[in-house]
Amino acid sequence: MKSYDVAVIGGGQLARMLHEAASALDIHLRALVASEGDPVAQVMTDCGVGSPDSAEAVAALVQGMDVLTFEHEHQDLALLTQLVEDGYNVHPTPQALQCAKDKHIMREMLAELDVPMPDWRSIRRESDLDIFLSEHRGECIVKTARGGYDGKGVREVNHLDDVRDWLEAMEAGEVELIAEELVPYAYEVAALCARRPSGEIRHWPLAETVQDGGVCAKVITPVPGADPSLGAQAERIAETIAEGLGVTGVLAVEMFVLPGKDGPSLLVNELAMRPHNSGHWTIEGSVTSQFEQHLRAVLNLPLGDTTARAPHAVMVNVLGTELNDPSQGYAHLMQEYPDAKVHLYGKKVRPRRKLGHVTVLGEDLEEVTATAEAAAAILRGDQPDWTEN
Ligand code: ADP
């Protein structure tokens, strides 16, 4: 065993980038992965295959380790609570984690903390949604409380028939639903911070997140042209949540920005308690990356400096590719854009799948954005004219 041993549940790209940070610090990382081909299992030897719901698999994972953490929210909270009762360090704690796992619980907890949110209602029967729709000009958003990601558990609703299948599943006790007002936001942002058990908190600069079909496509930091009050407002909200829920590790707070006469205001959409897509830019763009910070935070080590290394950072996700593998674009990309930093996750190509990302830093936002987008386009195989050469 090393001086620091961290167990992580999940084997995707977040665990893989956590491994890069752990490797630099010579922190021993062990992962519980869904299959041997998972992104982290391709680069790390200490991986066990199993389900996060399996008490046996999780017991083997935490054996001899200092702390257990996560790269996704799909955990068995009862199992984690038992681990805490047995004396294991689990960060974030199951109590905090339930707010990232369940949107209904999150809304209830954030209401207690008096955090600004869209108007919302828990939907227990069809008539609840009917009433909510009539109170909100016949339009709203309906979400499944658990299991949604990348927009999969989110629907815009103008009529009960738009969610007939979900209402039936709800009646059968298979899903829980909440309704939210349809927020006429100007754009979306993510406030990223980390908190450690001692209470120390560090924030990164606020980022704008651009979605494409419910999936994060691009992240720009700092937020272009933002009112100077916006960053401070977002930090206050993130801090209220991090402290109020006792979050440990990285916390991402996704928010809607509403323009207003007296300046913009923010409404909290959702939370993630782990490194987040909105923070991938920190690998090159911040003195301390979100992955290193997450390790420091869950180990209760002093947190690193979060100052940005350049005036602008833009991250573009590689969502699917026409190539057999996005790395086929390397020679062209590296020739054209030597300043683009590429991360590929080792995933099999599937339509619209998050296969990697590109980050570019610089002085000129337009140039930085154009470079990041063009580099990602090459990895997506969007330019057939060069693939023939
Ligand atoms: P997921 O957990 O699948 O990422 P989110 O709750 O983040 O789902 O919602 C996905 C996207 O749906 C958001 O990024 C936003 O564009 C849109 N959305 C979610 N809630 C609302 C809302 N109340 N009003 C307007 N748009 C919303």
Side-chain angles (χ1 to χ4, degrees):
M1 292 285 152
K2 301 274 184 188
S3 306
Y4 297 102
D5 303 274
V6 177
V8 61
I9 294 184
Q13 66 264 23
L14 300 175
R16 180 155 154 153
M17 290 184 270
L18 201 63
H19 164 65
E20 288 177 33
S23 168
L25 290 168
D26 198 25
I27 289 171
H28 169 209
L29 194 66
R30 177 187 293 159
L32 177 60
V33 304
S35 82
E36 275 166 13
D38 277 8
V40 79
Q42 295 172 28
V43 295
M44 202 170 90
T45 48
D46 196 2
C47 291
V49 178
S51 157
D53 299 341
S54 154
E56 235 181 4
V58 173
L61 173 71
V62 300
Q63 179 64 37
M65 307 302 274
D66 293 310
V67 61
L68 171 65
T69 191
F70 318 96
E71 70 129 31
H72 58 68
E73 285 90 21
H74 312 297
Q75 316 300 338
D76 181 333
L77 295 173
L79 192 66
L80 300 183
T81 306
Q82 186 58 50
L83 285 180
V84 173
E85 280 168 13
D86 292 345
Y88 285 100
N89 284 319
V90 178
H91 291 299
T93 62
Q95 226 177 342
L97 197 63
Q98 63 177 348
C99 298
K101 181 182 163 101
D102 187 311
K103 288 176 175 159
H104 188 209
I105 296 176
M106 172 194 71
R107 290 282 178 235
E108 282 177 340
M109 302 284 272
L110 294 189
E112 273 180 37
L113 295 174
D114 212 13
V115 163
M117 286 191 293
D119 188 23
W120 71 284
R121 190 87 36 91
S122 108
I123 303 298
R124 307 252 180 231
R125 53 194 76 75
E126 196 175 301
S127 59
D128 293 341
L129 182 56
D130 210 14
I131 294 167
F132 192 80
L133 274 170
S134 64
E135 288 171 2
H136 293 84
R137 300 172 308 280
E139 56 181 20
C140 75
I141 295 277
V142 175
K143 299 182 178 181
T144 55
R146 285 185 294 275
Y149 64 97
D150 287 348
K152 286 188 176 51
V154 175
R155 273 192 215 162
E156 194 175 322
V157 172
N158 301 97
H159 191 276
L160 294 177
D161 283 344
D162 296 337
V163 275
R164 184 62 60 198
D165 51 338
W166 284 3
L167 289 169
E168 281 166 11
M170 177 193 69
E171 305 270 341
E174 290 159 11
V175 291
E176 258 189 69
L177 301 177
I178 62 165
E180 293 178 3
E181 70 173 295
L182 181 68
V183 178
Y185 60 85
Y187 56 94
E188 295 179 78
V189 293
L192 195 73
C193 66
R195 179 175 178 276
R196 65 172 174 133
S198 74
E200 186 193 5
I201 296 184
R202 294 244 187 187
H203 299 267
W204 283 272
L206 189 65
E208 177 176 350
T209 58
V210 181
Q211 323 290 324
D212 177 4
V215 182
C216 175
K218 182 163 68 176
V219 174
I220 309 162
T221 188
V223 179
D227 187 282
S229 69
L230 197 69
Q233 241 187 93
E235 274 190 20
R236 263 201 313 279
I237 292 172
E239 200 147 314
T240 302
I241 295 171
E243 281 171 355
L245 302 181
V247 179
T248 41
V250 167
L251 167 71
V253 184
E254 296 181 15
M255 297 186 248
F256 300 124
V257 181
L258 289 165
K261 275 202 308 295
D262 309 320
S265 56
L266 291 163
L267 296 175
V268 172
N269 177 27
E270 74 159 347
L271 311 179
M273 291 176 202
R274 51 171 169 76
H276 189 247
N277 203 162
S278 67
H280 290 356
W281 69 272
T282 61
I283 298 174
E284 290 87 9
S286 166
V287 174
T288 309
S289 83
Q290 62 165 347
F291 298 100
E292 177 179 337
Q293 198 80 304
H294 189 72
L295 292 169
R296 290 160 82 130
V298 300
L299 286 164
N300 203 13
L301 288 167
L303 299 180
D305 184 353
T306 49
T307 308
R309 288 186 182 277
H312 301 281
V314 174
M315 189 248 27
V316 177
N317 275 339
V318 180
L319 301 173
T321 184
E322 296 300 317
L323 306 173
N324 291 328
D325 186 89
S327 61
Q328 286 180 322
Y330 277 180
H332 180 65
L333 182 153
M334 290 174 187
Q335 179 67 40
E336 292 294 318
Y337 306 108
D339 55 337
K341 303 309 291 179
V342 177
H343 298 256
L344 292 183
Y345 310 144
K347 289 176 165 177
K348 286 217 173 67
V349 172
R350 280 209 302 256
R352 302 269 305 151
R353 194 177 197 195
K354 271 183 203 168
L355 301 171
H357 73 265
V358 178
T359 300
V360 179
L361 310 179
E363 309 265 331
D364 182 307
L365 178 59
E366 244 175 72
E367 229 175 84
V368 167
T369 308
T371 303
E373 281 178 348
I378 292 175
L379 300 176
R380 282 198 310 267
D382 278 359
Q383 297 177 354
D385 49 324
W386 64 266
T387 49
E388 287 154 21
N389 295 333

